[in-house]
Amino acid sequence: MLACPTPVGVTFNPRAADPLFKNFHRAIRAVLALGLMLGASSVLAASVVTIIPKPQQMSVSDGHFVLDARTRIRAPHDKRGIEIANFLRAQILQQNGIRLRDSATGDDHRIVLQIDPAITGDEAYRLQITTQGIRITAAQDRGLFWGVQSLRQLLPLKSAAQVELPLVDIHDQPAFGYRGTMLDVSRHFYPVAFVKKQLDLLSYYKINTFHWHLTDDQGWRIEIKKYPRLTQVGAWRTEADGRRYGGFYTQAQIRDVVDYARQRNIMIIPEIEMPGHSTAALAAYPELSCTRQPLKVSTTWGVLKDIYCVGDDSTFTFLQNVIDEVIVLFPSPYVHIGGDEVPKDRWKVCASCQALMHAQGLKDEEGLQSYFIKRMHRYLESRGKTLIGWDEILEGGADKTAVIEVWRGDAEGNKALANGNRIINASPYYLDTAMAKLGTATMYRLDPAASFAAHRDQVLGAEAPLWSEYADPLNAETRLYPRLQAFAESLWTAGQRDDANYADFQRRLQAHYPQLDKLRVAYGAAESNVVDYTVALNAQRNGWQLRARHGLDGISNHYTVNGGEPDARSPGFLDSVDIRRPGIVKVAPYRDGRAYDHPQTFTLIGQLALGKPIRLGAPPKAPYNVATDQALLDGVLGGTDAEGGAWLGWQGTDMDATIDLGQPTSIHSIDARFLQDSESWILLPKRVLFSVSDDGQHWTTWHDGKLTADPEDIHASVRTVHFANPRSAKARYVRIDAVRYGALPPQHPGVGHEAWLFADEILIH
Ligand code: ACM
Ligand code: ZN
């Protein structure tokens, strides 16, 4: 998510979706529609039908169709018709162990797939099941395929000689034509098998677009034959611990995945980022940057300053050659060129960029960005493709034939619409958003067009992106599901987002979990993390307790206390476990014997002040005040994650903390730990003082030191201020004063706002 950091203290945050259901009239219509829908059918029978997304119109009758080895299938005799029939045949064989026969003669006991031009809508279909047979009709094969996916959701989850299907008559079509999910495979790489598994699931829920974010600062993931260094160099990075990390897709793999998606009614849109988020490409070909200096594939997140040089024509030659290979692989009418988060620092000081700016009569570097995007736009058009870009491509002006993917909120969407562009709304659906802020219910209730009523027909639909700074193949599914099921239904059945429908969705969702378990989908909890771990001092203050709060059933926790990596055979616990000794504790959740997430590490330190009374001059400020004051003396060290729970934060006040050791105590050393995380507006204090006293009135200063914070350093780090007492003198009271940095300086995006001061532990030995 640090593709756009969520700075502490920033009030505008497009990732914190507005959870309120805004469209009252639509809610009323939905209630009326629900009444009509069920009116003609048996309510009891309807409850056995658990299709997600819920069909627009459905009646259910008592009785059933028996599917068995006698059942035949007949489909249109064209390539796609045969393919769809084969898909259904394979799925039924796999799930029920029943082999459908091809249709020969006789009319009964058939599954018939048939094109019917009388049905209107690209993706519309009708599914009728009677005691005699099953009929799926649609105007186009896209609709036929969705009919097959609905039929699959009616099949029981068992192998048997015969299975029963409820009698339904479904008329169905989606409210929004663009129902997308994005996967960022640059920050973390996802193998082909993982991508295909997700395509299976997206298709099962009728999500019809997969946006593949293939390039970024941290890795270039698509083979380009003309530029082999893009993957030889750009696909690999050396992590801080020396590990080589990376991967890419060959063109053969891409073709295979694109075809796999096509068979499942999914269009894949490739994204090749430009002109920013291009460090991996520039590491491979530094001559494409303004400075032409060597660069490394980035191992950290954020918005990086080196971008393609717009002033050098060879940049365009390169990008056009790349596009030429990309469009051969992806039949989609769209190509996404990113365009987001483009710092102009390099262009401002690059002679050729400045020369171009003046030659073109452009006012500033925003004009250069617009020049860049328009030039790529024309190139794509010449190749018969439509450009998609993030909403920054409007800066400096964009052609109205571009499709704008809106991510920075409704204001950007309205700018695009006023300019005449079509939009895809992604702002409210960022799946890297914390579950507490964007749970399944919120995903369900959001209306992607709520703020764009005047231009409803320019809203193609919505997309839920998964940025992968903190997601990878091990834990990504916990972020995707069940939020994507809610998203899929919300886009399919616009207008039915009220409480009653959400309750009904939850009921149907329960029925899907056994199927997801069978497919080994590591889905998450609906409204919270799978598990939250905390460590606190125990009541006797002679050790700790490690606790797990579960959001999902069936999780067991396994841990180590010696710094080793836990696995499913490490000691386990359900809710809590006592930890007697200081050391490094690692804990991870498991389900059905397999790891559900990476281990979380806690560093526990014994010390003289463990659990002693502490008085704070100024209280820490919300939301960084949830840990108790005792957090500073609990022997639990925080990592560099400001949200990690170990840290207390102050803003606008200094920190002063007075500790009472209870009696005069020999002190060898004092340490205080502070966080620096400039992207989250957290800077080290300017000055730190340690003082001691015997009576709490008269103080002796032992340490008074200055610190320098670098607001331009985007790496989060912990700084320990250490004082070693050469004489090991005694004292009863210890006082820590930390003087805050103050206002953020001009070179910081939060200029003028107060920096935060974060502390997590005071250690006395
Ligand atoms: C984005 O999140 N930077 C599009
Ligand atoms: Zn340049």
Side-chain angles (χ1 to χ4, degrees), residues 180 187 369 372 386 400 416 476 494 510 577 640 643 687 720:
R187 277 54 179 265
Q369 153 106 352
F372 180 100
T386 298
K400 64 171 189 266
Q510 293 311 311
V577 64
T640 54
E643 311 275 342
R687 184 176 168 203
T720 301

Side-chain angles (χ1 to χ4, degrees), residues 289-292 308-312 346-347 350-354:
S289 72
C290 290
T291 65
R292 290 159 169 72
Y308 291 112
C309 177
V310 61
D312 189 337
R346 298 289 183 263
W347 289 358
C350 169
S352 52
C353 288
Q354 289 298 309

Side-chain angles (χ1 to χ4, degrees), residues 566-618:
D567 62 29
R569 288 156 309 177
S570 306
F573 69 97
L574 214 50
D575 296 319
S576 72
V577 64
D578 288 325
I579 308 286
R580 288 282 165 212
R581 288 179 214 283
I584 294 184
V585 175
K586 294 194 179 189
V587 58
Y590 289 76
R591 194 160 185 264
D592 289 336
R594 111 188 119 123
Y596 228 69
D597 208 339
H598 298 278
Q600 192 170 332
T601 302
F602 295 92
T603 304
L604 309 181
I605 308 264
Q607 60 140 323
L608 293 174
L610 216 53
K612 294 288 194 249
I614 184 168
R615 198 164 43 74
L616 296 174

Side-chain angles (χ1 to χ4, degrees), residues 220-263:
W220 181 284
R221 307 276 177 233
I222 171 173
E223 178 191 24
I224 301 294
K225 306 260 193 211
K226 197 173 182 89
Y227 300 108
R229 286 175 60 81
L230 285 173
T231 43
Q232 285 164 359
V233 175
W236 305 95
R237 62 186 191 238
T238 306
E239 303 283 24
D241 61 6
R243 235 171 1 116
R244 197 165 140 81
Y245 179 90
F248 65 93
Y249 309 105
T250 64
Q251 294 200 348
Q253 287 176 315
I254 300 245
R255 273 197 199 88
D256 176 48
V257 171
V258 167
D259 196 59
Y260 193 87
R262 179 196 60 76
Q263 290 177 37

Side-chain angles (χ1 to χ4, degrees), residues 86-105:
N86 285 343
F87 176 85
L88 179 59
R89 196 195 317 271
Q91 300 300 326
I92 291 175
L93 182 61
Q94 193 182 343
Q95 182 160 325
N96 307 112
I98 297 173
R99 194 179 296 275
L100 298 182
R101 289 193 289 167
D102 268 323
S103 181
T105 53

